[in-house]
Amino acid sequence: MARFIVRRIGQMLLVLFAVSALTFLIFNVIPGGDPAVRMAGRHPDPGQLARIRAEWGFNDPVYVQYLKTMQKTFTGDLSSYTTNVDVVDELRKRAPRTFALAIGAAIIWMLAATAIGLYTAARAGRFADRSITILALVGISMPVFWVGALMNYYLGFKWGIFPNGGYVPFADDPWEWFYHLIMPWTALSILFIGVYSRVLRSNILDTINEDYVRTARAKGLSERRVMYRHVLRNSLIPIVTLWGLDFGAVLGGGTILTETVFDIQGVGQYAAESIGQLDVPPVLAITLFGSFFIVLLNTVVDILYAAIDPRIRLQ
Amino acid sequence: MPEPLLSVRDLEVSFATDEGVVQAVDGVSFDIGQGEILAVVGESGSGKSVSAMTLMGLTRSPNARFSGSAMYKGEDLISASDERLQDVRGAEIAMIFQDPMSSLNPVQKIGAQIVEQIQAHEALPDAQARERVVELLERVGIPRARERIDSYPFEFSGGMRQRVMIALALSCDPNVLIADEPTTALDVTIQAQILQRIRSLRDETGAAVILVTHDLGVVADIADRVAVMYAGRIVEQGSLDDIFYDPQHPYTWGLLGSITRVDKPRPARLPAIAGLPPSLADRPEGCHFRPRCPHEFAKCTEVPPLEARVEGGQHLDRCWLTVEQKRSDREVLPGEIGLRSKEGAPA
């Protein structure tokens, strides 16, 4: 276990290095204007420009620029090319919003998909199953920005059932926090509910024919207990893995569209804005933030998988 | 004969499938008394497993149709409610399945799986239930049972898992034990141990055992009585000696002739009954064995009833040939029972 974690941390560092280097290189190649000029603002004097160039290493080779930027990232004085706002401060401010969105959505899609998966598996081939299958396909096919825009327009703007975008911190008003997040959570969950409920349905239908389920019935267990303890539990094992990975992916960039549509002002929206302005420092920091969670959740999933399926051993 | 423990009458099971109605079990009747071991033998698809599982309601599904009765302690298991059957399963009638590799839940500890069954039928605290599981595991011959109780199935070999399955089946002292090909997935030395285990448990607990198998070696080893099934029907039923030394149905001759023996010169080809068993969705009229039988004659298009044709009354079969004809026809090789291959039939 200890060796496993040490090795994973090593891998994580490697991934973060590769991701940051690549991001930096890509944005270096894209013509984005002279960053020193952008940072200095209007009517800069030559001395100021020279100072900025020296500080960020813009006159040095690319790898020196990269190292200087990374150094700034980890010492906490990385600032945006366009606004001079401290990137790490900004991330710290925005991260709770993204977490609230991602965690809530992950819980919603898992619960909803479990309920729908169970229901459709129990009625496999019947009308209810078929109609939900079609609904799931529709849900999988609808892009978040479109659903989100529709929800915003009808539920938010036209009928005024929900607030039309925005975010209220939990500490300010828990109810408003919840109320504002209902639509974004739903929009973000729809795709995952569709996918997960389909996967769970087919897992359940496979598991139900397993010999050990027949054994469970032969033991005289109630049908309910057979379903929950033996069928559902074993069917959920692969789903839990998927869940961890997807949760990591949502944290690491999957909320960009949702946040932008609903104006959450989280990390994802920050990413969208920064990319639009070719603002390298925030893009770099957000990429690191995202890849960190993706790699972290991957590791957590592996550990969790070994915990729920004893046949898996970490090494 | 004393009142039988379990009395099955005219059991019919059919399934609606895409290929039409499959008549898996067609009028099966038998009795089994306390402490008796009844072997049900036949080829794959002869309906032996379906018959056994139907007694516990394990074949119930929207596509399945049942008729007939299975009286157990004055109660019909075929028409019993699902809730009633839940109480019977595991507690009164327990089952050991064919494949021990897949019959245990792979992600639960074996002890917990047995405790689950005990607690489904008895209000027993965890500690006492665990204690009983340790005793059971010791009884079926699992060494260091107290440590192994928290092992997972994948940490056990096939033979050990089958012992766990037996411990599971015995955990609530059932009156009837149904063993569905319990040794098929195991190698020969383990087979013998498992059979020995089942027999000694019968001796200790007085449970009736229904042993479903296609292995006549196993039957000869352990059974008191034998029922031979073919295409959903019992074609012959009698004591072990009746079946092995005075078999009446040509299909039984074929089965007996298909046993390979180490004490005889090795044949050029393994003996086998020519042809294939019929599809259960489209079975021949009359005697189902007719197309493969070298002794077929005009009367065979009528269904022969299962009745005593041999003096004594306990040995039943479904063949229109007279007892004398059977006794002279079945001898193919001197001193050995077998079935000649049918002329014109594909080998």
Side-chain angles (χ1 to χ4, degrees):
Chain A
M1 187 72 183
R3 266 186 59 196
F4 172 82
I5 289 175
V6 167
R7 220 181 52 219
R8 273 314 179 85
I9 291 174
Q11 286 172 355
M12 184 187 283
L13 292 177
L14 213 69
V15 168
L16 292 182
F17 167 71
V19 164
S20 60
L22 260 177
T23 315
F24 194 80
L25 273 179
I26 290 170
F27 278 85
N28 218 280
V29 173
I30 302 174
D34 183 346
V37 174
R38 294 171 66 190
M39 268 188 273
R42 273 179 218 173
H43 316 298
D45 64 73
Q48 202 183 349
L49 284 180
R51 227 181 15 258
I52 294 173
R53 290 212 171 98
E55 189 192 336
W56 290 76
F58 290 141
N59 294 325
D60 299 317
V62 178
Y63 72 91
V64 179
Q65 290 183 33
Y66 169 76
L67 287 178
K68 289 206 164 174
T69 310
M70 289 310 282
Q71 190 191 356
K72 282 171 168 296
T73 310
F74 288 102
T75 51
D77 61 345
L78 184 72
S79 60
S80 154
Y81 286 174
T82 49
T83 58
N84 283 325
V85 171
D86 188 287
V87 172
V88 177
D89 277 353
E90 190 68 16
L91 261 187
R92 209 171 279 143
K93 221 160 46 196
R94 287 167 174 261
R97 297 164 175 242
T98 300
F99 276 113
L101 176 63
I103 293 172
I107 292 171
I108 290 173
W109 89 57
M110 192 67 188
L111 291 180
T114 306
I116 295 173
L118 262 178
Y119 181 81
T120 47
R123 281 164 188 69
R126 292 199 232 159
F127 179 74
D129 174 42
R130 280 164 206 232
S131 19
I132 290 175
T133 302
I134 294 170
L135 272 181
L137 286 176
V138 171
I140 294 169
S141 318
M142 288 191 305
V144 166
F145 57 83
W146 183 73
V147 179
L150 282 186
M151 288 170 95
N152 242 345
Y153 180 71
Y154 286 104
L155 299 176
F157 170 71
K158 223 170 170 188
W159 302 332
I161 302 171
F162 292 105
N164 192 2
Y167 178 88
V168 176
F170 184 80
D172 292 1
D173 186 341
W175 165 249
E176 284 297 322
W177 170 83
F178 178 77
Y179 193 38
H180 277 77
L181 276 171
I182 291 178
M183 280 206 302
W185 279 339
T186 313
L188 183 56
S189 305
I190 286 177
L191 162 76
F192 293 105
I193 294 175
V195 175
Y196 280 47
S197 60
R198 298 308 294 161
V199 175
L200 183 61
R201 174 187 176 275
S202 70
N203 279 357
I204 289 177
L205 292 179
D206 286 344
T207 310
I208 237 168
N209 290 319
E210 291 282 352
D211 287 348
Y212 60 79
V213 173
R214 188 180 58 189
T215 306
R217 291 218 170 85
K219 280 154 76 170
L221 307 181
S222 68
E223 197 52 28
R224 209 185 154 77
R225 197 173 163 92
V226 172
M227 258 336 256
Y228 284 97
R229 284 285 298 235
H230 294 274
V231 177
L232 183 60
R233 246 177 82 167
N234 291 51
S235 305
L236 276 176
I237 291 176
I239 307 258
V240 169
T241 315
L242 200 61
W243 191 41
L245 298 179
D246 278 337
F247 178 63
V250 164
L251 271 182
T255 61
I256 292 181
L257 293 172
T258 316
E259 284 186 16
T260 309
V261 171
F262 292 102
D263 193 27
I264 306 274
Q265 302 281 338
V267 178
Q269 197 171 356
Y270 193 28
E273 288 160 2
S274 308
I275 293 170
Q277 294 165 345
L278 293 179
D279 196 350
V280 181
V283 171
L284 199 60
I286 293 167
T287 311
L288 282 173
F289 172 90
S291 12
F292 170 76
F293 281 105
I294 291 177
V295 180
L296 179 75
L297 263 298
N298 267 296
T299 309
V300 171
V301 161
D302 283 343
I303 294 171
L304 206 68
Y305 201 36
I308 54 180
D309 189 340
R311 288 168 295 183
I312 311 288
R313 283 282 167 270
L314 300 175
Q315 39 181 305
Chain B
M1 193 174 172
E3 177 83 351
L5 188 59
L6 178 67
S7 178
V8 178
R9 285 291 168 272
D10 305 319
L11 181 64
E12 291 191 22
V13 183
S14 60
F15 300 100
T17 69
D18 294 341
E19 282 84 45
V21 176
V22 170
Q23 185 84 37
V25 178
D26 183 4
V28 161
S29 303
F30 61 84
D31 291 335
I32 184 164
Q34 214 175 359
E36 193 173 34
I37 299 182
L38 169 71
V40 180
V41 294
E43 291 166 88
S44 307
S46 60
K48 52 196 197 304
S49 287
V50 173
S51 307
M53 288 201 285
T54 300
L55 298 179
M56 291 180 81
L58 291 177
T59 48
R60 290 185 179 191
S61 88
N63 297 329
R65 296 284 172 275
F66 304 96
S67 72
S69 67
M71 299 304 288
Y72 169 78
K73 288 189 174 170
E75 173 177 23
D76 179 21
L77 299 174
I78 305 302
S79 59
S81 69
D82 288 340
E83 289 71 28
R84 177 64 197 126
L85 272 186
Q86 266 170 33
D87 296 337
V88 172
R89 285 178 199 155
E92 309 262 350
I93 304 180
M95 193 148 181
I96 303 169
F97 294 100
Q98 175 172 3
D99 189 355
M101 305 311 265
S102 59
S103 293
L104 288 163
N105 191 331
V107 301
Q108 286 180 18
K109 293 171 180 172
I110 55 138
Q113 296 190 44
I114 303 178
V115 166
E116 188 182 33
Q117 162 157 328
I118 296 173
Q119 291 183 334
H121 299 289
E122 294 169 45
L124 207 62
D126 288 350
Q128 276 173 284
R130 270 180 74 88
E131 210 45 49
R132 189 190 299 178
V133 172
V134 171
E135 281 166 29
L136 283 164
L137 292 177
E138 278 168 355
R139 214 162 108 198
V140 297
I142 288 180
R144 295 183 293 116
R146 201 167 292 279
E147 296 158 44
R148 304 307 302 269
I149 185 170
D150 286 323
S151 301
Y152 289 95
F154 73 91
E155 297 170 304
F156 280 58
S157 66
M160 293 293 250
R161 285 189 219 185
Q162 196 59 299
R163 284 162 202 250
V164 172
M165 287 302 291
I166 295 176
L168 178 72
L170 294 173
S171 61
C172 294
D173 270 326
N175 293 318
V176 181
L177 189 63
I178 301 175
D180 186 2
E181 310 220 12
T183 58
T184 304
L186 305 174
D187 55 58
V188 181
T189 47
I190 308 297
Q191 267 189 22
Q193 294 173 16
I194 295 289
L195 290 177
Q196 177 55 39
R197 200 51 73 182
I198 291 175
R199 185 166 34 207
S200 61
L201 290 166
R202 186 272 314 259
D203 296 341
E204 289 162 27
T205 64
V209 179
I210 300 176
L211 179 75
V212 175
T213 182
H214 61 252
D215 186 339
L216 289 167
V218 169
V219 174
D221 214 10
I222 189 172
D224 301 315
R225 281 194 308 127
V226 183
V228 181
M229 284 193 72
Y230 185 77
R233 287 180 188 153
I234 292 182
V235 293
E236 183 163 5
Q237 186 178 322
S239 70
L240 188 63
D241 284 354
D242 289 340
I243 300 296
F244 275 80
Y245 297 111
D246 189 19
Q248 296 296 305
H249 196 283
Y251 177 63
T252 315
W253 312 342
L255 276 187
L256 291 167
S258 306
I259 306 174
T260 51
R261 297 178 56 159
V262 287
D263 59 343
K264 295 280 158 66
R266 195 191 320 197
R269 291 184 58 148
L270 285 175
I273 305 172
L276 292 169
S279 154
L280 293 175
D282 179 25
R283 296 171 308 165
E285 218 183 305
C287 170
H288 295 332
F289 189 59
R290 181 164 59 89
R292 298 170 82 184
C293 182
H295 309 289
E296 180 194 359
F297 65 112
K299 196 155 189 201
C300 296
T301 48
E302 281 172 51
V303 179
L306 182 68
E307 58 187 30
R309 297 161 207 268
V310 188
E311 58 290 350
Q314 292 301 318
H315 186 176
L316 317 176
D317 70 273
R318 276 187 198 267
C319 181
W320 288 120
L321 294 172
T322 64
V323 177
E324 295 69 42
Q325 276 174 315
K326 289 168 181 166
R327 284 183 177 151
S328 65
D329 281 349
R330 73 186 175 210
E331 228 94 36
V332 174
L333 297 167
E336 199 175 338
I337 290 159
L339 179 73
R340 271 195 303 265
S341 59
K342 185 170 185 171
E343 266 169 57

